[in-house]
Amino acid sequence: MTNLITGLIGLALMMTFLGILVVWIKAIPLIVIVVGVVILAVVDFVHSLRTPNGTLR
């Protein structure tokens, strides 16, 4: 349960920070990189929630 809460807070803070950067800079390559990083972070977060006790199988 702690991993869920802290993970969601971390993802929200990261997305907020990167969203502000994207709006402020408005460069296509930066947008592509930010979208890729956010997708990878969400996939890693979901993967970490599905493993028992945060360990790899």
Side-chain angles (χ1 to χ4, degrees):
M1 185 67 171
T2 306
N3 289 343
L4 175 68
I5 295 169
T6 56
L8 288 176
I9 291 171
L11 282 175
L13 289 172
M14 181 192 70
M15 288 181 194
T16 303
F17 174 72
L18 293 176
I20 291 169
L21 280 180
V22 165
V23 169
W24 188 36
I25 297 175
K26 297 179 184 171
I28 300 296
L30 178 65
I31 294 170
V32 171
I33 291 169
V34 166
V35 168
V37 166
V38 168
I39 289 171
L40 288 173
V42 170
V43 167
D44 185 54
F45 174 63
V46 171
H47 180 70
S48 70
L49 289 179
R50 292 184 181 207
T51 57
N53 298 326
T55 59
L56 296 175
R57 294 182 196 180

